[in-house]
Amino acid sequence: MKYVLVSGGGMSGIGKGIIASSTGLLLKTRGLKVTAIKIDPYLNLDAGLMSPLEHGEVFVLDDGGEVDLDLGNYERYLNITLTRENNITTGKMYQHVIEKERRGDYLGKTVQVVPHLTDATQDWIERVARIPVDDTNEVPDVCIIELGGTVGDIESAPYVEVMRQLRTRAGKHSFLHIHVTYVPVIHGEQKTKPTQQAIRDVRSPGLNPDLIACRCSSPLEKSTTDKIAMFCQVEPEQVVAVHDVSSTYEVPLLLENQGLLPLLQKILRLDGLTISPSLVQKGANIWATWKSLTGSQKHVHEYVTIALIDKYTKQPDSYLSVIRSLEHAAMACSRKLRLIHIDPECLEVAFSISSTAKYHKAWHELCGADGILVPGGFGHRGTEGMINAAKWAREEKKPYLGICLGMQIAVIEFARNVCGFLNAASVELVETTPEPVIVFMPEIDATKMGGTMRLGLRGTHFQIGSEWSKLRGLYVKAHPEGPAINGVSHKSNGEPATPLSPTACLDAPTIFERHRHRYEVNPSYVERLSSNGLSFIGKDDSGERMEVLELKDHPWFVGVQFHPEYLSRVLEPSKPYLGFVAASAGCLDEITSKMGRPRSVSMANGVDMYDSLVNGIDRNDEFDGSEGKTWTSEADLRTEVNNLVQKEVPTSSEATRETIPDSAEGLLKEDVLPSAPTGFHEGTSLARTGGNTPSAAWRCRNGASLHVNGSQPIISASTTVDER
């Protein structure tokens, strides 16, 4: 195992997380398997109860772990899935050591920070570093370790000792240390004294950085680099300049341009590792896509303006994942994001009296935005302003996305202004409300706060009759949990999982998203809300908990109980955010059509592979040379289909894939289900059974159907062909 430690000196908040993530990405582009661990010196067990105004957002993992926001950076940059154990806190480690002491593991020894806490932390790091985190399901090659806070703080002192010892334990050429410092510019001159002092501070307890990453507002001058190298006793090539760039996604390119990868390879002897050719090719493709995506943004001149109705405007990191998800979606829509933060209190009627200028300014910004997003949050403050924003978006047909609390806000607004429940509210906001449309979940502990919410990755099932949904149309990929079979969700290994509700659509995708909430839509109000037009198109396994709502006759009015931002990736934007931004930019139909067609989401051996969803299973289909072909007449189409169905048809126990023509667009995908009845299935283009007699049915993307019985294609009357 190779370790890369990223620490910081002088001050916090200078970008250690982005530098750590970017370093990991560069290693991954060489085909290496990379994981990451964040060490936070605070005494909290986790980040779950920390104020977003003080610490920024709480990031939630698949296993329900509430962790530091930097783990979100790791997952987004490296496309990996971490666990709660990838976030070490002082509280967690002390609890771990004390539990061992209570069990008698130390055999009567006096338990001390050194060696017991330091040894336990090293053991923890070595164990977690070997946990597979990507789709290879193999032990990682490299572990990035970020030491939070600032070296020199009393809180981080034990972990500095841990890293000193880990360097020895890992062995020569298996540990590399990057120390991040700040180079201020005063009166136009770049000052090196803070960096010199930071290096002295980190060397004092025994750590000797291999590389110095200098954060600065502008590129480092050669004289500055030489001065730092001389006084810090390193070579100039070991001083890496990380100046401000227009987007954090450009940092990996900045590091690559300065030769970081050759330095990593030299110090860690990475050439000695055995890397499979497929991973090398995959890494090269990731890097090419990353550079193409970030580079193309420089030539984008159209903007999409989003109003973020956030309660914690004083701390931008409070909604870091939300902002990153909007950025991912904007890039996918070839737009630049213009984000407007609006304090919801300024949208309340009471503010029109107490602060008229702020009230009118807030409403002016809201009305001028292309889309309105109400994210998660807790507490009563500002919620009436959020309700006013949701009402305006609904009535004025303005794209709206509600996340967690934002979905509940949409329900309250609809209940009040459409259903006539004038006192509708959430019991979180008005404990004694006579119309509790949002209630406390019965299984949640009402007395204990930490770690008691509904947390982690959970399934949401689209419902029967939700085919019209714009959001459902974007979910063309499924989580690898598996298909729904005979009303029971099965895992990929075939084991039964949770029974589905009778209203779940078995042919629709089951999506898996991360949750973090204590309150839910009151089931007793669902029928009345639905009868007035508020469609709950997604529900949980039991069918009792509302997960997704959508208005049918609206450009985009969607609310989700989960937090899709936690699974958004730079190269794979979250579907709710993508649809919202696309609707706001006026290109939803275009984006949806791209999602329905073959698209480059991954590459193998340099060849684009295309994804399709079949009853909840992701399948990759290869296409032959007819890709992109169009048929100019019905006769040509019949001839092409006739040729295809003359191929040998296997028995029903065998699965095949063929290229199927689409009368309007030239190509369809096929997935043959071994035990499926003859005829098409929702979510698939083709299902076929039978022995030597071909029997198949196609559903064209334009809604037409195409049946083949024996060797005679029969095109339905609704089929259209390209007459150009």
Side-chain angles (χ1 to χ4, degrees):
M1 177 64 65
K2 307 289 187 180
Y3 297 97
V4 176
L5 168 65
V6 179
S7 61
M11 66 178 71
S12 61
I14 53 178
K16 295 190 302 295
I18 296 298
I19 292 173
S21 302
S22 300
T23 302
L25 175 63
L26 289 177
L27 291 168
K28 193 161 186 174
T29 63
R30 292 300 183 265
L32 295 168
K33 300 179 291 293
V34 182
T35 186
I37 293 174
K38 174 68 185 295
I39 300 177
D40 286 304
Y42 47 69
L43 282 171
N44 305 65
L45 285 176
D46 59 32
L49 295 180
M50 300 183 75
S51 168
L53 289 173
E54 179 180 331
H55 189 69
E57 77 168 3
V58 175
F59 192 81
V60 177
L61 302 171
D62 276 8
D63 63 0
E66 297 174 289
V67 297
D68 184 82
L69 58 84
D70 277 315
L71 273 78
N73 286 325
Y74 308 153
E75 287 201 341
R76 283 188 287 268
Y77 276 67
L78 305 178
N79 195 23
I80 56 179
T81 302
L82 302 175
T83 70
R84 67 179 75 226
E85 294 193 331
N86 290 82
N87 192 190
I88 294 174
T89 71
T90 297
K92 188 180 293 185
M93 290 313 305
Y94 270 93
Q95 183 184 59
H96 175 65
V97 170
I98 290 171
E99 287 175 351
K100 292 182 66 176
E101 187 272 336
R102 292 289 86 187
R103 289 196 305 265
D105 292 358
Y106 296 118
L107 301 176
K109 295 285 186 179
T110 301
V111 180
Q112 298 174 295
V113 172
V114 181
H116 301 102
L117 180 68
T118 53
D119 285 350
T121 306
Q122 290 178 79
D123 294 342
W124 186 294
I125 291 171
E126 289 185 323
R127 175 177 57 83
V128 173
R130 298 184 60 82
I131 298 175
V133 293
D134 59 20
D135 53 5
T136 67
N137 202 33
E138 297 176 357
V139 175
D141 302 304
V142 181
C143 178
I144 307 293
I145 305 172
E146 181 188 349
L147 177 56
T150 304
V151 173
D153 290 345
I154 191 170
E155 294 90 349
S156 63
Y159 300 107
V160 173
E161 175 61 18
V162 168
M163 293 299 108
R164 188 191 68 79
Q165 294 184 22
L166 182 62
R167 182 167 202 145
T168 302
R169 185 187 287 199
K172 194 174 183 180
H173 305 303
S174 293
F175 190 99
L176 181 144
H177 182 191
I178 302 174
H179 198 55
V180 184
T181 68
Y182 184 62
V183 178
V185 179
I186 300 176
H187 302 303
E189 181 184 358
Q190 294 177 342
K191 297 292 186 178
T192 65
K193 280 294 190 291
T195 295
Q196 295 177 43
Q197 183 60 48
I199 297 301
R200 280 196 291 269
D201 289 343
V202 75
R203 282 177 175 163
S204 176
L207 281 178
N208 190 25
D210 301 283
L211 301 174
I212 303 173
C214 297
R215 286 284 290 113
C216 190
S217 58
S218 58
L220 285 189
E221 299 169 359
K222 185 178 184 303
S223 59
T224 303
T225 301
D226 292 341
K227 190 174 182 180
I228 291 173
M230 180 177 64
F231 285 102
C232 296
Q233 296 180 313
V234 297
E235 296 297 324
E237 67 176 10
Q238 293 175 267
V239 180
V240 181
V242 190
H243 59 78
D244 292 350
V245 288
S246 59
S247 167
T248 56
Y249 308 116
E250 296 178 23
V251 174
L253 284 74
L254 181 64
L255 296 177
E256 188 213 27
N257 291 337
Q258 296 185 73
L260 179 61
L261 260 176
L263 288 171
L264 296 175
Q265 290 176 325
K266 176 182 176 182
I267 297 172
L268 293 174
R269 301 287 175 88
L270 298 178
D271 293 337
L273 297 177
T274 302
I275 308 173
S276 71
S278 62
L279 288 179
V280 173
Q281 182 63 56
K282 182 178 180 181
N285 293 330
I286 290 173
W287 188 232
T289 306
W290 187 285
K291 291 195 293 185
S292 174
L293 184 64
T294 55
S296 64
Q297 283 300 104
K298 297 178 181 179
H299 306 290
V300 172
H301 303 291
E302 291 186 76
Y303 283 84
V304 58
T305 303
I306 302 300
L308 182 62
I309 317 300
D310 55 343
K311 299 176 60 145
Y312 314 118
T313 55
K314 295 180 180 178
Q315 170 56 282
D317 282 351
S318 298
Y319 294 105
L320 183 63
S321 291
V322 170
I323 296 171
R324 293 292 179 259
S325 299
L326 290 171
E327 292 173 348
H328 303 164
M331 286 191 288
C333 295
S334 299
R335 299 292 193 277
K336 286 187 176 180
L337 177 66
R338 181 184 289 120
L339 191 61
I340 301 174
H341 294 267
I342 299 179
D343 188 334
E345 284 188 292
C346 296
L347 299 173
E348 296 177 359
V349 176
F351 233 70
S352 64
I353 301 173
S354 61
S355 184
T356 304
K358 288 185 178 180
Y359 174 81
H360 288 290
K361 180 178 183 290
W363 274 103
H364 176 75
E365 291 176 333
L366 181 77
C367 296
D370 299 314
I372 299 170
L373 193 157
V374 178
F378 299 92
H380 183 274
R381 185 182 64 83
T383 53
E384 288 301 320
M386 294 178 176
I387 292 171
N388 293 338
K391 179 176 185 291
W392 190 87
R394 178 180 59 80
E395 294 179 343
E396 299 299 323
K397 304 293 185 181
K398 185 71 70 173
Y400 175 90
L401 178 61
I403 305 295
C404 196
L405 174 63
M407 170 183 166
Q408 298 170 8
I409 289 293
V411 171
I412 296 171
E413 187 281 321
F414 194 89
R416 289 181 184 179
N417 299 307
V418 177
C419 301
F421 306 142
L422 301 182
N423 295 313
S426 166
V427 295
E428 177 189 15
L429 312 177
V430 183
E431 190 172 350
T432 58
T433 176
E435 298 285 359
V437 294
I438 306 296
V439 295
F440 195 85
M441 289 187 292
E443 71 271 28
I444 301 300
D445 189 335
T447 59
K448 184 179 178 182
M449 296 290 289
T452 59
M453 287 189 277
R454 185 171 180 252
L455 296 163
L457 194 73
R458 298 171 184 270
T460 294
H461 308 280
F462 283 104
Q463 302 297 293
I464 294 173
S466 65
E467 293 79 8
W468 56 268
S469 165
K470 298 179 180 67
L471 177 60
R472 173 177 162 173
L474 289 171
Y475 273 106
V476 296
K477 292 180 66 182
H479 190 277
E481 176 72 8
I485 304 173
N486 297 328
V488 178
S489 176
H490 280 63
K491 298 180 180 180
S492 56
N493 62 3
E495 297 176 359
T498 309
L500 304 182
S501 68
T503 58
C505 184
L506 300 186
D507 293 324
T510 295
I511 60 175
F512 288 78
E513 298 279 3
R514 295 175 181 176
H515 293 67
R516 186 177 187 249
H517 64 111
R518 288 190 179 93
Y519 298 86
E520 65 175 338
V521 177
N522 190 338
S524 63
Y525 282 86
V526 169
E527 184 176 349
R528 282 174 283 180
L529 291 166
S530 299
S531 64
N532 281 280
L534 190 63
S535 301
F536 293 98
I537 62 170
K539 300 180 182 180
D540 74 338
D541 295 333
S542 68
E544 294 294 323
R545 183 159 287 146
M546 304 303 110
E547 293 279 0
V548 184
L549 66 80
E550 187 170 346
L551 289 180
K552 191 171 186 178
D553 299 320
H554 195 286
W556 182 273
F557 195 98
V558 171
V560 293
Q561 188 59 73
F562 46 80
H563 287 263
E565 62 270 18
Y566 293 143
L567 287 177
S568 186
R569 302 290 184 262
V570 180
L571 304 182
E572 187 68 23
S574 159
K575 302 303 183 294
Y577 282 92
L578 178 61
F580 167 65
V581 172
S584 301
C587 60
L588 179 58
D589 291 341
E590 177 186 349
I591 293 296
T592 303
S593 65
K594 287 180 180 179
M595 296 296 292
R597 298 176 184 173
R599 60 191 180 90
S600 301
V601 294
S602 63
M603 300 183 72
N605 300 324
V607 179
D608 282 348
M609 305 298 289
Y610 305 108
D611 293 326
S612 63
L613 177 63
V614 182
N615 292 340
I617 302 178
D618 252 336
R619 299 185 185 274
N620 293 323
D621 295 291
E622 296 181 359
F623 294 88
D624 64 13
S626 63
E627 179 180 353
K629 183 176 180 180
T630 59
W631 285 265
T632 57
S633 68
E634 185 173 317
D636 290 342
L637 172 63
R638 289 181 184 278
T639 301
E640 183 72 22
V641 176
N642 220 15
N643 292 335
L644 285 170
V645 298
Q646 295 301 326
K647 296 180 180 180
E648 179 182 355
V649 180
T651 63
S652 60
S653 62
E654 299 175 35
T656 63
R657 294 180 173 86
E658 297 173 354
T659 302
I660 307 302
D662 182 326
S663 59
E665 297 177 60
L667 193 64
L668 274 179
K669 289 175 281 189
E670 168 192 329
D671 269 282
V672 182
L673 306 181
S675 60
T678 301
F680 79 90
H681 292 255
E682 192 70 36
T684 66
S685 297
L686 170 73
R688 173 190 291 170
T689 59
N692 296 323
T693 303
S695 178
W698 288 267
R699 157 102 12 133
C700 299
R701 276 192 289 266
N702 63 359
S705 59
L706 176 64
H707 300 271
V708 177
N709 294 306
S711 61
Q712 178 60 41
I714 303 173
I715 303 177
S716 69
S718 61
T719 301
T720 60
V721 294
D722 190 344
E723 298 290 352
R724 289 176 294 179

